[in-house]
Amino acid sequence: MNREAELIHISMLGEFRVRSGGQQVSESRNRARLLWNLLEYLVAFRHRDVPQEELIGVLWQDDKIDNPSGALKNLVYRIRTVLSSQGISQAKKMILCRRGAYAWNNSLPTVVDVEEFERLVQKADGEGGRPREQLALYLEALSLYKGDFLPKSASEEWVTPLSTYYRGLYVKCVEQAARLLTEAGRYQEIVDIAQQALVIDQFEETFHSVLLHALTAMEAYPRAMAHYERVSRLFYRELGVKPSEGLQELYQELVQNTMQPKTDLETIKRDLRETSLEQGAFFCEYEVFKNIYQLKARIAERTGQSVFLLLLTAGGADGQPLSPKLLSSSMDRLQDCLLQSLRRSDVAARCSATQFVAMLSSLTQENSLLVQQRILNRFQKENVQPAVCIQFRFQPMEPMGDPSGKRKVR
């Protein structure tokens, strides 16, 4: 039998799998949780003997069981049986029992993906003066990271610190590979790496930043801005927060970068033309809303035009915060109701996890109350959750004045 046939490959990133001699066994095909927890623990700490008391504490924690030592022996027997039945020829030799402890049999040639991943990252870190070799090592390491460390065992206490450690290495690896690829002008590869990273964790802002920087370098500004807007909606909907200041600053850079010289006025007009024919108010990012507000305030300063600010806040009818799931669905419905109830000349944005703000032009105090009632009626009709309460606040816009706050007279 050749050495490759005897080699045992173990994957712990994305899913736990054991492969040897052309046969593979994964935890997804076998639901015995305790069995896999034991095998995973022995592999994760395969360079030492693990006392049976430690294993009993890991597997059963505070559970009271009769004869825990016997239960542990039975689990080891079941591991050997399951792996043997799936064609893993060396299954009966993999786990050693000696002097009241259990250990992985390191005399068997074994390759573990997390160990290879860590080795490649550390080797890449030491190649600081050789960017080509360093990049090759980072890219090889990234190819091994198929997902987080033992995701199906993420609730186990011992898994959490290891998962955090390997995730940190992965984030660092993405950043360093992106830096080196940027220096080489290989932006599409950065986009590919970032998109794969976002499949693993869509809430890691580092990955969004890497992607947006690459798209900006490629001058793919509409694509970059569309991605930022998706991120903003995602963070509001799932986390109840807005993107970090770093991402918001990057968005402002994108807005500035879109203001490139055009060949003629017709090109500019085509670029400015609104492609959507949807009815209702104009919805935008809050940073854009602020710019529009400042423009309208300047106009109001000269013309005396009446502009009202409307703030809508979603909360619990009992005064308590809404659950994340209920808040997400309620804010989606409220956004639809808000946009459908306002005119196309009005502007709206989400300004916090629980709030929308809108600018309403050419209104009086009286008909602003009608707008409020129209939004509320539509929301109550479409929202079946009586636990949700919407609060409204109206204020007239203050015209732009001098730094002292006094209105300028012209």
Side-chain angles (χ1 to χ4, degrees):
M1 184 180 295
N2 62 50
R3 183 172 178 80
E4 180 59 31
E6 295 177 349
L7 192 61
I8 301 170
H9 295 269
I10 297 180
S11 299
M12 306 184 84
L13 294 170
E15 182 183 37
F16 187 78
R17 297 184 302 277
V18 179
R19 178 167 55 87
S20 180
Q23 301 299 316
Q24 177 172 286
V25 184
S26 70
E27 59 183 335
S28 62
R29 296 176 58 184
N30 298 271
R31 303 297 182 185
R33 193 69 254 153
L34 280 177
L35 183 153
W36 292 109
N37 284 348
L38 173 56
L39 185 56
E40 290 164 357
Y41 196 87
L42 291 174
V43 173
F45 300 99
R46 73 186 186 100
H47 296 293
R48 67 180 177 92
D49 291 357
V50 184
Q52 69 173 8
E53 293 80 9
E54 180 179 334
L55 290 172
I56 290 169
V58 166
L59 296 171
W60 289 285
Q61 297 182 6
D62 298 327
D63 294 343
K64 300 290 186 180
I65 63 168
D66 297 328
N67 190 14
S69 178
L72 185 57
K73 288 180 181 179
N74 183 55
L75 272 182
V76 172
Y77 171 78
R78 288 173 59 195
I79 290 173
R80 292 167 175 162
T81 300
V82 167
L83 296 180
S84 294
S85 68
Q86 298 296 321
I88 305 298
S89 61
Q90 302 179 82
K92 295 183 179 180
K93 303 177 184 178
M94 289 179 175
I95 300 176
L96 301 177
C97 179
R98 53 197 179 197
R99 298 184 298 277
Y102 290 87
W104 180 264
N105 186 357
N106 287 312
S107 66
L108 301 176
T110 305
V111 176
V112 184
D113 62 351
V114 289
E115 295 176 0
E116 286 297 294
F117 173 72
E118 183 179 29
R119 180 186 66 81
L120 288 166
V121 174
Q122 291 176 347
K123 187 176 180 181
D125 291 344
E127 294 284 349
R130 306 167 66 193
R132 183 176 299 178
E133 290 78 4
Q134 188 178 37
L135 176 58
L137 289 166
Y138 281 130
L139 293 178
E140 186 178 354
L142 288 175
S143 70
L144 292 177
Y145 202 94
K146 306 297 185 184
D148 286 334
F149 179 76
L150 299 179
K152 292 187 178 180
S153 299
S155 60
E156 302 294 327
E157 289 184 10
W158 68 271
V159 170
T160 301
L162 289 174
S163 180
T164 301
Y165 170 70
Y166 291 121
R167 167 65 73 84
L169 283 184
Y170 179 60
V171 173
K172 169 187 173 182
C173 197
V174 170
E175 289 181 301
Q176 293 301 318
R179 175 182 62 81
L180 293 166
L181 287 169
T182 298
E183 293 173 2
R186 294 157 62 179
Y187 301 115
Q188 184 57 52
E189 291 178 65
I190 301 175
V191 171
D192 296 339
I193 288 171
Q195 289 178 331
Q196 179 58 42
L198 288 169
V199 171
I200 293 172
D201 185 1
Q202 61 180 336
F203 298 110
E204 175 54 63
E205 290 204 2
T206 299
F207 302 154
H208 293 292
S209 178
V210 165
L211 177 58
L212 289 172
H213 274 109
L215 291 174
T216 301
M218 296 167 66
E219 299 185 0
Y221 302 127
R223 186 177 168 189
M225 294 184 72
H227 180 79
Y228 176 86
E229 288 163 4
R230 286 195 298 271
V231 172
S232 180
R233 290 193 298 270
L234 173 70
F235 278 38
Y236 273 130
R237 185 177 68 248
E238 301 296 336
L239 303 178
V241 299
K242 59 178 143 182
S244 67
E245 289 187 7
L247 280 183
Q248 292 180 53
E249 290 172 2
L250 185 53
Y251 178 74
Q252 287 297 319
E253 292 178 20
L254 283 171
V255 173
Q256 294 297 321
N257 282 327
T258 58
M259 301 171 63
Q260 299 297 319
K262 307 297 182 183
T263 56
D264 55 37
L265 192 56
E266 288 302 319
T267 302
I268 293 175
K269 286 168 62 180
R270 285 195 301 270
D271 195 33
L272 293 174
R273 188 175 299 127
E274 185 177 1
T275 57
S276 171
L277 297 178
E278 294 181 4
Q279 299 298 311
F282 175 72
F283 191 80
C284 60
E285 290 296 314
Y286 185 60
E287 293 300 314
V288 175
F289 183 92
K290 290 195 292 187
N291 291 334
I292 298 174
Y293 175 90
Q294 291 163 12
L295 175 61
K296 282 185 173 286
R298 291 186 178 202
I299 295 173
E301 180 185 13
R302 281 186 170 274
T303 66
Q305 180 186 19
S306 173
V307 179
F308 278 85
L309 279 179
L310 166 63
L311 181 68
L312 300 88
T313 303
D318 57 359
Q320 297 299 313
L322 299 174
S323 68
K325 183 177 180 181
L326 182 54
L327 176 62
S328 175
S329 61
S330 300
M331 291 297 283
D332 287 343
R333 291 193 185 95
L334 182 57
Q335 178 176 325
D336 291 339
C337 295
L338 175 64
L339 298 184
Q340 293 171 21
S341 301
L342 302 182
R343 299 166 300 181
R344 284 174 59 84
S345 58
D346 297 328
V347 184
R350 187 165 179 171
C351 58
S352 78
T354 60
Q355 294 177 305
F356 292 104
V357 64
M359 278 182 283
L360 314 178
S361 301
S362 303
L363 287 183
T364 63
Q365 186 73 39
E366 292 73 21
N367 57 23
S368 66
L369 297 177
L370 296 177
V371 172
Q372 171 182 325
Q373 193 60 47
R374 187 162 64 238
I375 297 170
L376 186 59
N377 290 343
R378 192 185 295 269
F379 181 77
Q380 290 175 339
K381 180 179 178 181
E382 297 187 8
N383 184 68
V384 296
Q385 295 287 347
V388 181
C389 175
I390 307 300
Q391 296 182 345
F392 294 83
R393 287 190 63 191
F394 269 103
Q395 281 191 5
M397 173 188 285
E398 295 293 336
M400 296 291 287
D402 62 18
S404 68
K406 298 178 181 179
R407 183 172 178 174
K408 296 180 180 179
V409 179
R410 297 185 182 274

